[in-house]
Amino acid sequence: MISFDYTPALKFISSEEIAAIEPQVATAAKLLESHTGAGPEWLGWLDLPTKYDRAEYKRIKAAAKRIRKQSEVLVVVGIGGSYLGGKAGLEFCMPTPALPIRGGRKKHFDVVFTGTNLSADYHAQVIEAIGERDFSVNVISKSGTTTEPAIAFRIFKQKLEEKYGKASAAHRIYATTDKARGALKILADREGYETFVVPDDVGGRFSVLTAVGLLPLAAAGIDVDALLRGAADARLAYKKPLAENACYQYAALRNILRNKGKEIEILANYEPRCHYIAEWWKQLYGESEGKDGKGIFPASVSFTADLHSMGQYIQDGRRIVFETVLEIERPQMELLVPKAEDDLDGLNYLAGKSLDYVNKKAAEGTRMAHIDGGVPNLTISIPEATPYYLGQLFFFFEKACAISGYLLGVNPFDQPGVEAYKKNMFRLLGK
Ligand code: PA5
């Protein structure tokens, strides 16, 4: 199992504070499990790892196979909750190489995410990068009318139809949307696209274990059975009481820290493959908790790179920050530090040591420094970067988010604030 260590934060909180929050956590858990808390109509994600549509799951895997057979590139179109889980999962299991060697390599299958911004340059670059390669499209939008993905879909649908003709293009478009309503559902039915469902009781940011995340991940060749197994094991493990429940402990600790004025949580990682996990996590916690004038501000850093940019602030700036470190215990690759004859940089004392050893020591040293600097530290340890542990991690964060939102006293499942920018944008565009 993934594990959680809050002992380094004990310097900042007392055992009385942990004891005091225990009944509140138990109440929050009861409200959640009995569907009697805020937003009960949005709790489908709680049972997803075991209670899902088996027939649709089979279709997802079959569609993934078909996509790989018919194309070299899958263009995923979606934004927010309709994109971040898939992107996070893909980068975690199959990180983009530092050099773009994948594209252009024969037989390599690429997944690219679009509709996540309104940049002409970005979308033109994707079109150029696809070039002559065969491609399919997975358009993901519960509403079917979100501006960014709707525009991107128009663009890639047009490209597909120009390349293959309308009828063949329809066999390359896979729509993940509401089961009955919305613009995309109407279009998909009319044009004959294969469709997958965003369940009514699962909000975008909790949807990674539905077709929203599963189809792009399966198409990329990621073992979605293992992913769901990990989530199912987490679902069982995270029903236990606080003392034995890493997920509840994380929710409890972050709320204790918030009550002590630690209003910013920085999710830190030492492995670039975790970068988009942090992006997904920021949406999950930001949209779930940032309301009614409340909420911890979720931020993220990728170390050691950001130690050279954000390190100063974290060490020495306003003392309103706590840090949660995502640690991967065992890397997949081993690299050793080479010996240099002249030892000009003075690093020969590390010669023969693994790079991961150095990375772990950097993490340890940083944690000690941050604690000395007044930054409480929590650590989530993932044994290995595999789909199984990823499933656990997704569920860990989702359930902790729900408990944390209840502890905070908000409805973690709505997002009334997201509409404000849209209203202005539509007015300015003359809608
Ligand atoms: O979590 C959310 O609700 C949002 O991020 C939505 O997922 C996002 O706005 C995309 O919405 P839709 O799937 O309707 O296009």
Side-chain angles (χ1 to χ4, degrees), residues 92-110:
F92 185 81
C93 297
M94 301 169 83
T96 305
L99 275 177
I101 48 174
R102 282 171 19 177
R105 243 197 202 177
K106 228 173 168 231
K107 287 211 173 127
H108 196 94
F109 185 80
D110 279 316

Side-chain angles (χ1 to χ4, degrees), residues 79-82 141-143 146 204-205 283 287 415:
I79 198 166
S82 294
S141 179
K142 186 164 186 167
S143 61
T146 307
R205 59 189 176 274
Q283 185 201 7
E287 271 190 9
Q415 55 281 329

